[in-house]
Amino acid sequence: VLKEQLLQPANFVTATMGKKPKAKAEKAEPKDPAPADAADPWLCPECEQDNPCEEAACIACEAPKPAGAADAKFENFVVALVQSCEAVPGKDKLKKLEVDVGGEVLKIVTNASNVKDGSRVVVAKVGAIIDGEPLKKSVVGGCPSEGMLCDSTMLGWSGGGSGAALLPDSFALGAPPPDARPRTDGK
């Protein structure tokens, strides 16, 4: 009887010799869906036009999206103006910047090649959550850095080139960044 049970096809166990197969990487779980109010349209304070949530500026009068309509994921992310930009001595690609974040000037070190005096950029201030960790003051290339410039990937924007995310002058200093890449061609 035992011999008959072992010869049944359902009881055969196949095994391979050698290394165990590698476990497949677990797929990242999708992030929690955005809160219901994150997809709500916003009302332009200038002309009272209803605008889709993804618009960074009013579709009627081009006024920037108000700060109250910002996405919570952008806490401690602000629009800033580069006041000075100079090379870090002895470091080929690093620049030390002074940026106005709306009444406060921060020193930031970056390797973004597209930044110059007068650029309007998005800054992650100390305390902003970057890759799940709060941003801290640091020393980069021997210079203190009190934040970091954001690129389009960090902000979840599609399209655009590499380097810092640049904004048109219509965005107020200290305001949260837009949810989507704004047009910078004046159209």
Side-chain angles (χ1 to χ4, degrees), residues 68-110:
D71 191 334
K73 71 180 178 182
F74 291 138
E75 189 174 337
N76 288 324
F77 289 73
V78 295
V79 175
L81 179 67
V82 177
Q83 293 182 327
S84 71
C85 176
E86 56 186 64
V88 174
K91 305 293 181 185
D92 289 342
K93 296 182 181 184
L94 291 182
K95 298 176 183 179
K96 62 183 171 181
L97 313 174
E98 287 189 1
V99 297
D100 181 353
V101 294
E104 179 183 11
V105 176
L106 300 178
K107 294 178 181 179
I108 295 178
V109 178
T110 185

PDB file of all heavy atoms in Angstrom, residues 68-110:
ATOM      1  N   GLY A  68      -3.547  78.547   0.729  1.00  0.00           N
ATOM      2  CA  GLY A  68      -4.485  77.670   1.418  1.00  0.00           C
ATOM      3  C   GLY A  68      -4.885  76.471   0.582  1.00  0.00           C
ATOM      4  O   GLY A  68      -5.388  75.496   1.093  1.00  0.00           O
ATOM      5  N   ALA A  69      -4.655  76.535  -0.722  1.00  0.00           N
ATOM      6  CA  ALA A  69      -5.042  75.454  -1.614  1.00  0.00           C
ATOM      7  C   ALA A  69      -3.894  74.486  -1.849  1.00  0.00           C
ATOM      8  O   ALA A  69      -3.942  73.661  -2.721  1.00  0.00           O
ATOM      9  CB  ALA A  69      -5.508  76.028  -2.943  1.00  0.00           C
ATOM     10  N   ALA A  70      -2.838  74.589  -1.063  1.00  0.00           N
ATOM     11  CA  ALA A  70      -1.653  73.755  -1.263  1.00  0.00           C
ATOM     12  C   ALA A  70      -1.874  72.336  -0.769  1.00  0.00           C
ATOM     13  O   ALA A  70      -2.684  72.080   0.113  1.00  0.00           O
ATOM     14  CB  ALA A  70      -0.467  74.358  -0.527  1.00  0.00           C
ATOM     15  N   ASP A  71      -1.124  71.430  -1.325  1.00  0.00           N
ATOM     16  CA  ASP A  71      -1.159  70.025  -0.945  1.00  0.00           C
ATOM     17  C   ASP A  71      -0.358  69.844   0.343  1.00  0.00           C
ATOM     18  O   ASP A  71       0.727  70.398   0.487  1.00  0.00           O
ATOM     19  CB  ASP A  71      -0.544  69.216  -2.090  1.00  0.00           C
ATOM     20  CG  ASP A  71      -0.755  67.732  -1.939  1.00  0.00           C
ATOM     21  OD1 ASP A  71      -0.922  67.252  -0.804  1.00  0.00           O
ATOM     22  OD2 ASP A  71      -0.740  67.044  -2.961  1.00  0.00           O
ATOM     23  N   ALA A  72      -0.861  69.060   1.291  1.00  0.00           N
ATOM     24  CA  ALA A  72      -0.187  68.853   2.571  1.00  0.00           C
ATOM     25  C   ALA A  72       1.186  68.201   2.405  1.00  0.00           C
ATOM     26  O   ALA A  72       2.041  68.348   3.272  1.00  0.00           O
ATOM     27  CB  ALA A  72      -1.064  67.998   3.485  1.00  0.00           C
ATOM     28  N   LYS A  73       1.415  67.498   1.280  1.00  0.00           N
ATOM     29  CA  LYS A  73       2.724  66.869   1.081  1.00  0.00           C
ATOM     30  C   LYS A  73       3.825  67.904   0.930  1.00  0.00           C
ATOM     31  O   LYS A  73       4.999  67.587   1.007  1.00  0.00           O
ATOM     32  CB  LYS A  73       2.701  65.932  -0.129  1.00  0.00           C
ATOM     33  CG  LYS A  73       2.617  66.637  -1.469  1.00  0.00           C
ATOM     34  CD  LYS A  73       2.595  65.647  -2.611  1.00  0.00           C
ATOM     35  CE  LYS A  73       2.462  66.380  -3.927  1.00  0.00           C
ATOM     36  NZ  LYS A  73       2.383  65.468  -5.049  1.00  0.00           N
ATOM     37  N   PHE A  74       3.456  69.161   0.703  1.00  0.00           N
ATOM     38  CA  PHE A  74       4.441  70.222   0.512  1.00  0.00           C
ATOM     39  C   PHE A  74       4.691  71.037   1.779  1.00  0.00           C
ATOM     40  O   PHE A  74       5.103  72.191   1.696  1.00  0.00           O
ATOM     41  CB  PHE A  74       4.021  71.147  -0.633  1.00  0.00           C
ATOM     42  CG  PHE A  74       4.085  70.500  -1.987  1.00  0.00           C
ATOM     43  CD1 PHE A  74       3.084  70.704  -2.915  1.00  0.00           C
ATOM     44  CD2 PHE A  74       5.155  69.699  -2.348  1.00  0.00           C
ATOM     45  CE1 PHE A  74       3.140  70.126  -4.172  1.00  0.00           C
ATOM     46  CE2 PHE A  74       5.218  69.113  -3.597  1.00  0.00           C
ATOM     47  CZ  PHE A  74       4.213  69.321  -4.509  1.00  0.00           C
ATOM     48  N   GLU A  75       4.456  70.459   2.939  1.00  0.00           N
ATOM     49  CA  GLU A  75       4.733  71.172   4.186  1.00  0.00           C
ATOM     50  C   GLU A  75       6.240  71.421   4.282  1.00  0.00           C
ATOM     51  O   GLU A  75       7.043  70.516   4.075  1.00  0.00           O
ATOM     52  CB  GLU A  75       4.256  70.356   5.383  1.00  0.00           C
ATOM     53  CG  GLU A  75       4.321  71.115   6.677  1.00  0.00           C
ATOM     54  CD  GLU A  75       3.703  70.360   7.831  1.00  0.00           C
ATOM     55  OE1 GLU A  75       2.859  69.471   7.602  1.00  0.00           O
ATOM     56  OE2 GLU A  75       4.086  70.660   8.969  1.00  0.00           O
ATOM     57  N   ASN A  76       6.613  72.656   4.564  1.00  0.00           N
ATOM     58  CA  ASN A  76       8.013  73.111   4.630  1.00  0.00           C
ATOM     59  C   ASN A  76       8.687  73.183   3.264  1.00  0.00           C
ATOM     60  O   ASN A  76       9.905  73.245   3.178  1.00  0.00           O
ATOM     61  CB  ASN A  76       8.850  72.277   5.603  1.00  0.00           C
ATOM     62  CG  ASN A  76       8.506  72.566   7.039  1.00  0.00           C
ATOM     63  OD1 ASN A  76       8.204  73.699   7.402  1.00  0.00           O
ATOM     64  ND2 ASN A  76       8.530  71.550   7.876  1.00  0.00           N
ATOM     65  N   PHE A  77       7.914  73.166   2.193  1.00  0.00           N
ATOM     66  CA  PHE A  77       8.408  73.420   0.845  1.00  0.00           C
ATOM     67  C   PHE A  77       7.871  74.791   0.450  1.00  0.00           C
ATOM     68  O   PHE A  77       6.661  75.030   0.577  1.00  0.00           O
ATOM     69  CB  PHE A  77       7.890  72.384  -0.159  1.00  0.00           C
ATOM     70  CG  PHE A  77       8.482  71.013  -0.004  1.00  0.00           C
ATOM     71  CD1 PHE A  77       8.128  70.181   1.044  1.00  0.00           C
ATOM     72  CD2 PHE A  77       9.394  70.543  -0.937  1.00  0.00           C
ATOM     73  CE1 PHE A  77       8.656  68.919   1.163  1.00  0.00           C
ATOM     74  CE2 PHE A  77       9.936  69.270  -0.820  1.00  0.00           C
ATOM     75  CZ  PHE A  77       9.568  68.460   0.235  1.00  0.00           C
ATOM     76  N   VAL A  78       8.736  75.691   0.009  1.00  0.00           N
ATOM     77  CA  VAL A  78       8.301  77.051  -0.308  1.00  0.00           C
ATOM     78  C   VAL A  78       8.937  77.561  -1.597  1.00  0.00           C
ATOM     79  O   VAL A  78       9.984  77.093  -2.020  1.00  0.00           O
ATOM     80  CB  VAL A  78       8.640  78.033   0.840  1.00  0.00           C
ATOM     81  CG1 VAL A  78       7.868  77.707   2.102  1.00  0.00           C
ATOM     82  CG2 VAL A  78      10.123  78.050   1.121  1.00  0.00           C
ATOM     83  N   VAL A  79       8.285  78.569  -2.173  1.00  0.00           N
ATOM     84  CA  VAL A  79       8.828  79.274  -3.323  1.00  0.00           C
ATOM     85  C   VAL A  79       9.878  80.247  -2.804  1.00  0.00           C
ATOM     86  O   VAL A  79       9.669  80.915  -1.791  1.00  0.00           O
ATOM     87  CB  VAL A  79       7.712  80.030  -4.074  1.00  0.00           C
ATOM     88  CG1 VAL A  79       8.287  80.865  -5.203  1.00  0.00           C
ATOM     89  CG2 VAL A  79       6.668  79.049  -4.599  1.00  0.00           C
ATOM     90  N   ALA A  80      11.017  80.323  -3.480  1.00  0.00           N
ATOM     91  CA  ALA A  80      12.117  81.181  -3.032  1.00  0.00           C
ATOM     92  C   ALA A  80      12.757  81.873  -4.231  1.00  0.00           C
ATOM     93  O   ALA A  80      12.625  81.427  -5.373  1.00  0.00           O
ATOM     94  CB  ALA A  80      13.164  80.347  -2.291  1.00  0.00           C
ATOM     95  N   LEU A  81      13.461  82.952  -3.936  1.00  0.00           N
ATOM     96  CA  LEU A  81      14.164  83.725  -4.955  1.00  0.00           C
ATOM     97  C   LEU A  81      15.660  83.683  -4.650  1.00  0.00           C
ATOM     98  O   LEU A  81      16.075  83.998  -3.528  1.00  0.00           O
ATOM     99  CB  LEU A  81      13.679  85.169  -4.965  1.00  0.00           C
ATOM    100  CG  LEU A  81      14.344  86.094  -5.980  1.00  0.00           C
ATOM    101  CD1 LEU A  81      13.977  85.677  -7.399  1.00  0.00           C
ATOM    102  CD2 LEU A  81      13.937  87.533  -5.720  1.00  0.00           C
ATOM    103  N   VAL A  82      16.462  83.276  -5.632  1.00  0.00           N
ATOM    104  CA  VAL A  82      17.912  83.229  -5.456  1.00  0.00           C
ATOM    105  C   VAL A  82      18.440  84.661  -5.486  1.00  0.00           C
ATOM    106  O   VAL A  82      18.324  85.349  -6.495  1.00  0.00           O
ATOM    107  CB  VAL A  82      18.589  82.370  -6.548  1.00  0.00           C
ATOM    108  CG1 VAL A  82      20.106  82.397  -6.394  1.00  0.00           C
ATOM    109  CG2 VAL A  82      18.067  80.948  -6.513  1.00  0.00           C
ATOM    110  N   GLN A  83      19.010  85.109  -4.355  1.00  0.00           N
ATOM    111  CA  GLN A  83      19.557  86.465  -4.267  1.00  0.00           C
ATOM    112  C   GLN A  83      21.021  86.514  -4.660  1.00  0.00           C
ATOM    113  O   GLN A  83      21.481  87.500  -5.215  1.00  0.00           O
ATOM    114  CB  GLN A  83      19.381  87.018  -2.854  1.00  0.00           C
ATOM    115  CG  GLN A  83      17.935  87.242  -2.484  1.00  0.00           C
ATOM    116  CD  GLN A  83      17.782  87.844  -1.108  1.00  0.00           C
ATOM    117  OE1 GLN A  83      18.565  87.571  -0.203  1.00  0.00           O
ATOM    118  NE2 GLN A  83      16.753  88.660  -0.949  1.00  0.00           N
ATOM    119  N   SER A  84      21.751  85.453  -4.326  1.00  0.00           N
ATOM    120  CA  SER A  84      23.156  85.394  -4.739  1.00  0.00           C
ATOM    121  C   SER A  84      23.518  83.950  -5.027  1.00  0.00           C
ATOM    122  O   SER A  84      22.994  83.030  -4.417  1.00  0.00           O
ATOM    123  CB  SER A  84      24.081  85.986  -3.676  1.00  0.00           C
ATOM    124  OG  SER A  84      24.153  85.142  -2.555  1.00  0.00           O
ATOM    125  N   CYS A  85      24.428  83.794  -5.974  1.00  0.00           N
ATOM    126  CA  CYS A  85      24.852  82.470  -6.419  1.00  0.00           C
ATOM    127  C   CYS A  85      26.333  82.554  -6.747  1.00  0.00           C
ATOM    128  O   CYS A  85      26.730  83.297  -7.650  1.00  0.00           O
ATOM    129  CB  CYS A  85      24.048  82.064  -7.654  1.00  0.00           C
ATOM    130  SG  CYS A  85      24.528  80.497  -8.380  1.00  0.00           S
ATOM    131  N   GLU A  86      27.149  81.816  -6.001  1.00  0.00           N
ATOM    132  CA  GLU A  86      28.585  81.821  -6.288  1.00  0.00           C
ATOM    133  C   GLU A  86      29.156  80.414  -6.131  1.00  0.00           C
ATOM    134  O   GLU A  86      28.624  79.589  -5.389  1.00  0.00           O
ATOM    135  CB  GLU A  86      29.321  82.817  -5.394  1.00  0.00           C
ATOM    136  CG  GLU A  86      29.132  82.621  -3.909  1.00  0.00           C
ATOM    137  CD  GLU A  86      29.765  83.732  -3.082  1.00  0.00           C
ATOM    138  OE1 GLU A  86      29.322  84.875  -3.199  1.00  0.00           O
ATOM    139  OE2 GLU A  86      30.693  83.409  -2.312  1.00  0.00           O
ATOM    140  N   ALA A  87      30.230  80.159  -6.838  1.00  0.00           N
ATOM    141  CA  ALA A  87      30.870  78.840  -6.811  1.00  0.00           C
ATOM    142  C   ALA A  87      31.502  78.598  -5.441  1.00  0.00           C
ATOM    143  O   ALA A  87      31.993  79.524  -4.791  1.00  0.00           O
ATOM    144  CB  ALA A  87      31.928  78.755  -7.896  1.00  0.00           C
ATOM    145  N   VAL A  88      31.483  77.341  -5.026  1.00  0.00           N
ATOM    146  CA  VAL A  88      32.168  76.945  -3.793  1.00  0.00           C
ATOM    147  C   VAL A  88      33.627  76.718  -4.154  1.00  0.00           C
ATOM    148  O   VAL A  88      33.926  75.922  -5.053  1.00  0.00           O
ATOM    149  CB  VAL A  88      31.548  75.660  -3.196  1.00  0.00           C
ATOM    150  CG1 VAL A  88      32.355  75.169  -2.003  1.00  0.00           C
ATOM    151  CG2 VAL A  88      30.096  75.891  -2.807  1.00  0.00           C
ATOM    152  N   PRO A  89      34.565  77.420  -3.491  1.00  0.00           N
ATOM    153  CA  PRO A  89      35.985  77.264  -3.823  1.00  0.00           C
ATOM    154  C   PRO A  89      36.446  75.804  -3.699  1.00  0.00           C
ATOM    155  O   PRO A  89      36.137  75.129  -2.723  1.00  0.00           O
ATOM    156  CB  PRO A  89      36.703  78.141  -2.795  1.00  0.00           C
ATOM    157  CG  PRO A  89      35.662  79.092  -2.295  1.00  0.00           C
ATOM    158  CD  PRO A  89      34.357  78.378  -2.406  1.00  0.00           C
ATOM    159  N   GLY A  90      37.125  75.327  -4.714  1.00  0.00           N
ATOM    160  CA  GLY A  90      37.679  73.973  -4.700  1.00  0.00           C
ATOM    161  C   GLY A  90      36.683  72.882  -5.039  1.00  0.00           C
ATOM    162  O   GLY A  90      37.031  71.707  -5.025  1.00  0.00           O
ATOM    163  N   LYS A  91      35.445  73.242  -5.330  1.00  0.00           N
ATOM    164  CA  LYS A  91      34.417  72.258  -5.683  1.00  0.00           C
ATOM    165  C   LYS A  91      33.867  72.626  -7.058  1.00  0.00           C
ATOM    166  O   LYS A  91      33.273  73.675  -7.238  1.00  0.00           O
ATOM    167  CB  LYS A  91      33.277  72.235  -4.660  1.00  0.00           C
ATOM    168  CG  LYS A  91      33.724  71.996  -3.236  1.00  0.00           C
ATOM    169  CD  LYS A  91      34.266  70.598  -3.078  1.00  0.00           C
ATOM    170  CE  LYS A  91      34.695  70.370  -1.631  1.00  0.00           C
ATOM    171  NZ  LYS A  91      35.332  69.108  -1.436  1.00  0.00           N
ATOM    172  N   ASP A  92      34.095  71.746  -8.032  1.00  0.00           N
ATOM    173  CA  ASP A  92      33.751  72.052  -9.425  1.00  0.00           C
ATOM    174  C   ASP A  92      32.279  72.374  -9.652  1.00  0.00           C
ATOM    175  O   ASP A  92      31.943  73.310 -10.364  1.00  0.00           O
ATOM    176  CB  ASP A  92      34.136  70.888 -10.339  1.00  0.00           C
ATOM    177  CG  ASP A  92      35.639  70.750 -10.494  1.00  0.00           C
ATOM    178  OD1 ASP A  92      36.355  71.717 -10.186  1.00  0.00           O
ATOM    179  OD2 ASP A  92      36.073  69.677 -10.931  1.00  0.00           O
ATOM    180  N   LYS A  93      31.385  71.587  -9.083  1.00  0.00           N
ATOM    181  CA  LYS A  93      29.976  71.712  -9.441  1.00  0.00           C
ATOM    182  C   LYS A  93      29.108  72.365  -8.364  1.00  0.00           C
ATOM    183  O   LYS A  93      27.936  72.629  -8.614  1.00  0.00           O
ATOM    184  CB  LYS A  93      29.406  70.336  -9.769  1.00  0.00           C
ATOM    185  CG  LYS A  93      30.056  69.724 -10.995  1.00  0.00           C
ATOM    186  CD  LYS A  93      29.455  68.392 -11.336  1.00  0.00           C
ATOM    187  CE  LYS A  93      30.144  67.809 -12.556  1.00  0.00           C
ATOM    188  NZ  LYS A  93      29.543  66.565 -12.986  1.00  0.00           N
ATOM    189  N   LEU A  94      29.649  72.607  -7.189  1.00  0.00           N
ATOM    190  CA  LEU A  94      28.821  73.143  -6.107  1.00  0.00           C
ATOM    191  C   LEU A  94      28.706  74.662  -6.168  1.00  0.00           C
ATOM    192  O   LEU A  94      29.652  75.363  -6.511  1.00  0.00           O
ATOM    193  CB  LEU A  94      29.384  72.737  -4.741  1.00  0.00           C
ATOM    194  CG  LEU A  94      29.298  71.265  -4.375  1.00  0.00           C
ATOM    195  CD1 LEU A  94      29.850  71.038  -2.978  1.00  0.00           C
ATOM    196  CD2 LEU A  94      27.868  70.764  -4.456  1.00  0.00           C
ATOM    197  N   LYS A  95      27.505  75.141  -5.812  1.00  0.00           N
ATOM    198  CA  LYS A  95      27.242  76.575  -5.720  1.00  0.00           C
ATOM    199  C   LYS A  95      26.657  76.848  -4.348  1.00  0.00           C
ATOM    200  O   LYS A  95      25.854  76.057  -3.842  1.00  0.00           O
ATOM    201  CB  LYS A  95      26.207  77.001  -6.766  1.00  0.00           C
ATOM    202  CG  LYS A  95      26.625  76.781  -8.193  1.00  0.00           C
ATOM    203  CD  LYS A  95      25.478  77.153  -9.127  1.00  0.00           C
ATOM    204  CE  LYS A  95      25.835  76.868 -10.567  1.00  0.00           C
ATOM    205  NZ  LYS A  95      24.734  77.196 -11.474  1.00  0.00           N
ATOM    206  N   LYS A  96      27.068  77.978  -3.753  1.00  0.00           N
ATOM    207  CA  LYS A  96      26.414  78.374  -2.510  1.00  0.00           C
ATOM    208  C   LYS A  96      25.502  79.541  -2.821  1.00  0.00           C
ATOM    209  O   LYS A  96      25.870  80.473  -3.527  1.00  0.00           O
ATOM    210  CB  LYS A  96      27.396  78.652  -1.380  1.00  0.00           C
ATOM    211  CG  LYS A  96      28.367  79.740  -1.552  1.00  0.00           C
ATOM    212  CD  LYS A  96      29.286  79.801  -0.345  1.00  0.00           C
ATOM    213  CE  LYS A  96      30.411  80.789  -0.656  1.00  0.00           C
ATOM    214  NZ  LYS A  96      31.352  80.911   0.418  1.00  0.00           N
ATOM    215  N   LEU A  97      24.284  79.411  -2.319  1.00  0.00           N
ATOM    216  CA  LEU A  97      23.230  80.358  -2.632  1.00  0.00           C
ATOM    217  C   LEU A  97      22.743  81.042  -1.370  1.00  0.00           C
ATOM    218  O   LEU A  97      22.801  80.476  -0.286  1.00  0.00           O
ATOM    219  CB  LEU A  97      22.023  79.642  -3.254  1.00  0.00           C
ATOM    220  CG  LEU A  97      22.247  78.647  -4.371  1.00  0.00           C
ATOM    221  CD1 LEU A  97      20.944  77.959  -4.719  1.00  0.00           C
ATOM    222  CD2 LEU A  97      22.816  79.338  -5.585  1.00  0.00           C
ATOM    223  N   GLU A  98      22.225  82.233  -1.549  1.00  0.00           N
ATOM    224  CA  GLU A  98      21.394  82.872  -0.538  1.00  0.00           C
ATOM    225  C   GLU A  98      20.039  83.021  -1.189  1.00  0.00           C
ATOM    226  O   GLU A  98      19.915  83.597  -2.269  1.00  0.00           O
ATOM    227  CB  GLU A  98      21.974  84.224  -0.125  1.00  0.00           C
ATOM    228  CG  GLU A  98      23.208  84.087   0.724  1.00  0.00           C
ATOM    229  CD  GLU A  98      23.673  85.413   1.324  1.00  0.00           C
ATOM    230  OE1 GLU A  98      23.018  86.458   1.106  1.00  0.00           O
ATOM    231  OE2 GLU A  98      24.688  85.394   2.010  1.00  0.00           O
ATOM    232  N   VAL A  99      19.007  82.452  -0.546  1.00  0.00           N
ATOM    233  CA  VAL A  99      17.665  82.471  -1.120  1.00  0.00           C
ATOM    234  C   VAL A  99      16.682  83.118  -0.152  1.00  0.00           C
ATOM    235  O   VAL A  99      16.728  82.864   1.049  1.00  0.00           O
ATOM    236  CB  VAL A  99      17.180  81.054  -1.516  1.00  0.00           C
ATOM    237  CG1 VAL A  99      18.049  80.460  -2.600  1.00  0.00           C
ATOM    238  CG2 VAL A  99      17.134  80.130  -0.333  1.00  0.00           C
ATOM    239  N   ASP A 100      15.832  83.953  -0.685  1.00  0.00           N
ATOM    240  CA  ASP A 100      14.770  84.591   0.091  1.00  0.00           C
ATOM    241  C   ASP A 100      13.546  83.689   0.009  1.00  0.00           C
ATOM    242  O   ASP A 100      13.017  83.442  -1.079  1.00  0.00           O
ATOM    243  CB  ASP A 100      14.461  85.971  -0.498  1.00  0.00           C
ATOM    244  CG  ASP A 100      13.377  86.717   0.266  1.00  0.00           C
ATOM    245  OD1 ASP A 100      12.755  86.142   1.183  1.00  0.00           O
ATOM    246  OD2 ASP A 100      13.142  87.892  -0.080  1.00  0.00           O
ATOM    247  N   VAL A 101      13.108  83.181   1.168  1.00  0.00           N
ATOM    248  CA  VAL A 101      11.963  82.277   1.211  1.00  0.00           C
ATOM    249  C   VAL A 101      10.712  82.997   1.714  1.00  0.00           C
ATOM    250  O   VAL A 101       9.795  82.361   2.220  1.00  0.00           O
ATOM    251  CB  VAL A 101      12.260  81.011   2.052  1.00  0.00           C
ATOM    252  CG1 VAL A 101      13.322  80.171   1.408  1.00  0.00           C
ATOM    253  CG2 VAL A 101      12.616  81.372   3.475  1.00  0.00           C
ATOM    254  N   GLY A 102      10.704  84.327   1.576  1.00  0.00           N
ATOM    255  CA  GLY A 102       9.547  85.098   2.016  1.00  0.00           C
ATOM    256  C   GLY A 102       9.789  85.708   3.382  1.00  0.00           C
ATOM    257  O   GLY A 102       9.139  85.330   4.343  1.00  0.00           O
ATOM    258  N   GLY A 103      10.724  86.629   3.475  1.00  0.00           N
ATOM    259  CA  GLY A 103      11.008  87.293   4.741  1.00  0.00           C
ATOM    260  C   GLY A 103      12.168  86.685   5.510  1.00  0.00           C
ATOM    261  O   GLY A 103      12.568  87.204   6.538  1.00  0.00           O
ATOM    262  N   GLU A 104      12.697  85.604   5.037  1.00  0.00           N
ATOM    263  CA  GLU A 104      13.830  84.928   5.678  1.00  0.00           C
ATOM    264  C   GLU A 104      14.817  84.541   4.578  1.00  0.00           C
ATOM    265  O   GLU A 104      14.412  84.076   3.517  1.00  0.00           O
ATOM    266  CB  GLU A 104      13.340  83.677   6.414  1.00  0.00           C
ATOM    267  CG  GLU A 104      14.403  82.876   7.102  1.00  0.00           C
ATOM    268  CD  GLU A 104      13.848  81.599   7.750  1.00  0.00           C
ATOM    269  OE1 GLU A 104      12.687  81.226   7.508  1.00  0.00           O
ATOM    270  OE2 GLU A 104      14.622  80.966   8.465  1.00  0.00           O
ATOM    271  N   VAL A 105      16.114  84.750   4.841  1.00  0.00           N
ATOM    272  CA  VAL A 105      17.139  84.388   3.861  1.00  0.00           C
ATOM    273  C   VAL A 105      17.875  83.151   4.380  1.00  0.00           C
ATOM    274  O   VAL A 105      18.355  83.132   5.509  1.00  0.00           O
ATOM    275  CB  VAL A 105      18.124  85.552   3.616  1.00  0.00           C
ATOM    276  CG1 VAL A 105      19.233  85.115   2.678  1.00  0.00           C
ATOM    277  CG2 VAL A 105      17.380  86.755   3.049  1.00  0.00           C
ATOM    278  N   LEU A 106      17.916  82.111   3.539  1.00  0.00           N
ATOM    279  CA  LEU A 106      18.590  80.864   3.892  1.00  0.00           C
ATOM    280  C   LEU A 106      19.828  80.689   3.033  1.00  0.00           C
ATOM    281  O   LEU A 106      19.862  81.109   1.880  1.00  0.00           O
ATOM    282  CB  LEU A 106      17.666  79.666   3.659  1.00  0.00           C
ATOM    283  CG  LEU A 106      16.353  79.625   4.419  1.00  0.00           C
ATOM    284  CD1 LEU A 106      15.552  78.385   4.014  1.00  0.00           C
ATOM    285  CD2 LEU A 106      16.588  79.635   5.915  1.00  0.00           C
ATOM    286  N   LYS A 107      20.841  80.031   3.610  1.00  0.00           N
ATOM    287  CA  LYS A 107      22.037  79.646   2.860  1.00  0.00           C
ATOM    288  C   LYS A 107      21.857  78.196   2.438  1.00  0.00           C
ATOM    289  O   LYS A 107      21.585  77.331   3.267  1.00  0.00           O
ATOM    290  CB  LYS A 107      23.283  79.791   3.724  1.00  0.00           C
ATOM    291  CG  LYS A 107      23.577  81.224   4.090  1.00  0.00           C
ATOM    292  CD  LYS A 107      24.792  81.327   4.986  1.00  0.00           C
ATOM    293  CE  LYS A 107      25.028  82.789   5.343  1.00  0.00           C
ATOM    294  NZ  LYS A 107      26.173  82.953   6.232  1.00  0.00           N
ATOM    295  N   ILE A 108      22.008  77.951   1.149  1.00  0.00           N
ATOM    296  CA  ILE A 108      21.808  76.603   0.606  1.00  0.00           C
ATOM    297  C   ILE A 108      22.932  76.292  -0.363  1.00  0.00           C
ATOM    298  O   ILE A 108      23.334  77.140  -1.155  1.00  0.00           O
ATOM    299  CB  ILE A 108      20.445  76.487  -0.109  1.00  0.00           C
ATOM    300  CG1 ILE A 108      19.324  76.674   0.911  1.00  0.00           C
ATOM    301  CG2 ILE A 108      20.315  75.175  -0.852  1.00  0.00           C
ATOM    302  CD1 ILE A 108      17.939  76.621   0.339  1.00  0.00           C
ATOM    303  N   VAL A 109      23.445  75.064  -0.297  1.00  0.00           N
ATOM    304  CA  VAL A 109      24.458  74.594  -1.227  1.00  0.00           C
ATOM    305  C   VAL A 109      23.785  73.616  -2.186  1.00  0.00           C
ATOM    306  O   VAL A 109      23.013  72.753  -1.770  1.00  0.00           O
ATOM    307  CB  VAL A 109      25.624  73.907  -0.479  1.00  0.00           C
ATOM    308  CG1 VAL A 109      26.664  73.383  -1.464  1.00  0.00           C
ATOM    309  CG2 VAL A 109      26.262  74.867   0.511  1.00  0.00           C
ATOM    310  N   THR A 110      24.082  73.771  -3.480  1.00  0.00           N
ATOM    311  CA  THR A 110      23.455  72.928  -4.497  1.00  0.00           C
ATOM    312  C   THR A 110      24.440  72.600  -5.606  1.00  0.00           C
ATOM    313  O   THR A 110      25.460  73.275  -5.760  1.00  0.00           O
ATOM    314  CB  THR A 110      22.218  73.635  -5.097  1.00  0.00           C
ATOM    315  OG1 THR A 110      21.560  72.744  -6.002  1.00  0.00           O
ATOM    316  CG2 THR A 110      22.606  74.904  -5.840  1.00  0.00           C
TER     317      THR A 110
END
